[in-house]
Amino acid sequence: DVKVTQSSRYLVKRTGEKVFLECVQDMDHENMFWYRQDPGLGLRLIYFSYDVKMKEKGDIPEGYSVSREKKERFSLILESASTNQTSMYLCASSRVGQGYGYTFGSGTRLTVV
Amino acid sequence: AQSVTQLDSQVPVFEEAPVELRCNYSSSVSVYLFWYVQYPNQGLQLLLKYLSGSTLVKGINGFEAEFNKSQTSFHLRKPSVHISDTAEYFCAVALSGGSNYKLTFGKGTLLTVNP
């Protein structure tokens, strides 16, 4: 079965910490995405990548960066975590072509205290 | 740019009743349409998608959706729901053709099925 794996289901971090959220897919997908999900706001795109070492900003990139050194791995980095970054973070991947849709990971619930 | 509106944030229904979750989109070009389901504490799972052809699309778990180009809608339906259908449902749109492969999601509809 195809898979997108997010390394942590739950994380608690302190304000100001540098936080790494890891995502790995085993489907040889070209595209990878990071979303955050908040009640009443739905899914908002943070960053996406369409190739190794390539990235583009989504709708809410402020306070985040990403890294894609290998095709299967896409990391989201919170440079200095703040309490307003407490959220559910979802990673997804897709093949090239808009008709394929996304495969999602199970999510990481991050709490910044 | 495309956008998606899910008209109901919450839909409560009784078990075995029919349900319709509404989704409207706006786009100046042709689109692909998707419905995803999210069970509690899980990621999103694809229910069904419309790419082209027949406007009635059948998906998993007995769900179906109808694409209506004139109404710019893609409503999700199920004739008889179960307790296990309790989840959040997301409608999403992607532009067909070109290099834009991002999905734009609606804000979700929480379906609660009561006994």
Side-chain angles (χ1 to χ4, degrees):
Chain A
D1 198 12
V2 295
K3 247 185 172 174
V4 176
T5 303
Q6 294 184 232
S7 55
S8 304
R9 290 299 306 273
Y10 300 94
L11 272 180
V12 180
K13 297 291 182 180
R14 295 193 179 277
T15 301
E17 275 193 80
K18 190 169 186 176
V19 181
F20 293 85
L21 302 184
E22 305 289 344
C23 175
V24 177
Q25 52 98 0
D26 65 0
M27 297 164 283
D28 201 34
H29 283 174
E30 292 82 5
N31 304 326
M32 296 188 75
F33 306 84
W34 274 107
Y35 285 86
R36 66 175 282 176
Q37 182 181 14
D38 300 287
L41 298 178
L43 277 72
R44 294 180 290 167
L45 181 64
I46 305 172
Y47 267 98
F48 68 100
S49 168
Y50 50 91
D51 201 352
V52 175
K53 298 190 186 295
M54 305 302 289
K55 60 185 179 184
E56 284 195 26
K57 293 179 180 179
D59 301 316
I60 52 162
E62 296 77 19
Y64 302 95
S65 63
V66 290
S67 172
R68 193 168 181 200
E69 297 295 319
K70 293 185 178 181
K71 189 175 185 179
E72 66 271 19
R73 185 179 297 269
F74 192 36
S75 303
L76 179 69
I77 304 156
L78 285 67
E79 298 290 344
S80 177
S82 64
T83 54
N84 63 13
Q85 292 178 309
T86 291
S87 186
M88 169 72 93
Y89 290 87
L90 293 167
C91 176
S93 71
S94 75
R95 293 175 60 182
V96 171
Q98 298 90 326
Y100 294 105
Y102 294 178
T103 301
F104 281 87
S106 298
T108 296
R109 188 167 294 280
L110 173 67
T111 302
V112 182
V113 299
Chain B
Q2 67 273 29
S3 67
V4 177
T5 302
Q6 291 184 243
L7 296 155
D8 305 295
S9 59
Q10 297 187 50
V11 173
V13 295
F14 288 108
E15 194 173 17
E16 298 183 5
V19 70
E20 179 179 82
L21 306 183
R22 296 180 294 169
C23 172
N24 286 89
Y25 68 93
S26 67
S27 174
S28 57
V29 298
S30 296
V31 296
Y32 296 143
L33 293 156
F34 304 81
W35 275 101
Y36 285 84
V37 60
Q38 185 181 34
Y39 299 105
N41 296 314
Q42 294 187 27
L44 277 70
Q45 176 184 354
L46 181 65
L47 263 182
L48 49 78
K49 61 183 178 183
Y50 171 79
L51 304 182
S52 65
S54 172
T55 57
L56 184 63
V57 180
K58 293 190 184 296
I60 61 171
N61 301 339
F63 284 92
E64 62 182 32
E66 185 155 22
F67 170 59
N68 186 321
K69 188 174 182 179
S70 63
Q71 301 288 326
T72 61
S73 68
F74 190 54
H75 301 333
L76 181 70
R77 302 186 182 102
K78 187 169 183 179
S80 175
V81 294
H82 303 287
I83 299 285
S84 60
D85 292 322
T86 294
E88 190 153 25
Y89 293 79
F90 292 91
C91 182
V93 62
L95 299 181
S96 64
S99 61
N100 186 347
Y101 34 72
K102 291 186 289 182
L103 286 182
T104 299
F105 288 86
K107 293 186 177 181
T109 297
L110 179 62
L111 173 66
T112 303
V113 182
N114 298 300

